[in-house]
Structure formats: structure tokens, C-alpha cells
Amino acid sequence: MAVTQSKTREDLRKAIGRNLGKMITGTTSGSGSTTTAVDATLFGGDDEYIGSYIRITSGTYDGTTRRITDYTASTGTITFAAVSATVAGSTTYELWKDQFDPQVVDEFINHSIWEITGKYFDPEESLDVHLDKVNARWEIPSDLAMIQDV
């Protein structure tokens, strides 16, 4: 099994999207506007991505999700609901098919984390480390991965 402890939610979301075949990643090739992002390397014809979601994953709008309202293939212009300033060039993003809102995928990831918390790790008990009337502070040993109950 692959190690997942150091994965971010973005890493997990991308893995889910790629495994489902419903998400691609890209980088803007030029500066857009408050309602557009430009990527001249995208494939497909005009209106290919209408209804899909764009999740910006770097720059000023990191984490911002918008529904795509238009796509112009000749210029690589993706149009969506306005953000407050221009979307810069070299901004990374994810494009999700219209049935897969990345915000909902994030909620599924969060729910999975909540469900597994307290069930996955083997309980470890140490009687060497304890508190009493004299010792009111306790240094957490670095080899502990998680503390559930104290």
C-alpha cells in the first residue's frame, strides 16, 4: 500500500480525479482577466468545457473553484464567474468534468478522514509517562503518530 501520511488534500483530490478519469491538470499559458484564464495547450473544440469546474491551485486564487461558462479553443480562453483580479500566467489549475465538483470531492476526503480517525492506528499505552501533583506538563514523545485520549 502506498504511503499517504504526507499527502495533501490537493494530492488526494488529484489522485481521485485521475483514477475516475474525470479531471485534468494544467498551467495557464498567459494572463487572463477577472473572468478568464488562458491555456493555449488545452485540447478540444469551442464550448468543450462548458459546465465543467476549474479549481485554481496556485497563485492569488489558490483553492478557488468556479463553473466554466465558455471555452474558446482558438485562444485557449476559459470563461467563468468573476474573481476580484486578473488570473496570472503560470497559474496551475484542475479541470473537473461537470458531474464532479471538486468542493464535494474535498468534503468526501474530509469525511473519510473523520471516519478513520481513532480506528486506524493501533492503540499504544505508556505508563512511563504520566502526570502527578508535581509534574503538570508532559512532553509528547516524537514517535507518537496521533493522540486520541489523554
Side-chain angles (χ1 to χ4, degrees):
M1 182 192 275
V3 176
T4 59
Q5 285 88 347
S6 64
K7 301 293 184 194
T8 64
R9 279 182 176 72
E10 181 178 336
D11 294 333
L12 295 172
R13 189 179 57 251
K14 285 180 179 180
I16 291 166
R18 286 188 183 121
N19 284 325
L20 290 172
K22 301 299 181 183
M23 186 269 307
I24 59 172
T25 59
T27 304
T28 57
S29 58
S31 186
S33 70
T34 60
T35 59
T36 62
V38 178
D39 185 356
T41 64
L42 276 176
F43 58 87
D46 285 349
D47 303 333
E48 177 81 19
Y49 301 104
I50 290 179
S52 297
Y53 295 90
I54 184 169
R55 164 67 69 92
I56 299 172
T57 56
S58 71
T60 305
Y61 300 108
D62 186 9
T64 301
T65 301
R66 294 287 191 264
R67 197 95 190 237
I68 297 172
T69 57
D70 193 23
Y71 174 67
T72 306
S74 60
T75 59
T77 302
I78 304 165
T79 305
F80 46 82
V83 291
S84 56
T86 300
V87 177
S90 300
T91 300
T92 58
Y93 64 88
E94 303 165 4
L95 277 183
W96 287 80
K97 297 285 186 185
D98 59 350
Q99 306 92 342
F100 294 87
D101 182 345
Q103 293 172 316
V104 174
V105 175
D106 283 343
E107 290 175 20
F108 288 147
I109 293 168
N110 289 340
H111 184 72
S112 297
I113 291 169
W114 295 328
E115 286 294 315
I116 199 69
T117 300
K119 297 178 184 176
Y120 179 79
F121 293 99
D122 292 329
E124 182 178 322
E125 185 176 324
S126 174
L127 299 177
D128 296 333
V129 182
H130 61 277
L131 302 175
D132 54 33
K133 293 179 183 177
V134 177
N135 299 308
R137 292 183 60 92
W138 178 55
E139 294 294 325
I140 300 171
S142 61
D143 61 335
L144 287 180
M146 179 180 98
I147 296 177
Q148 181 175 349
D149 296 314
V150 178

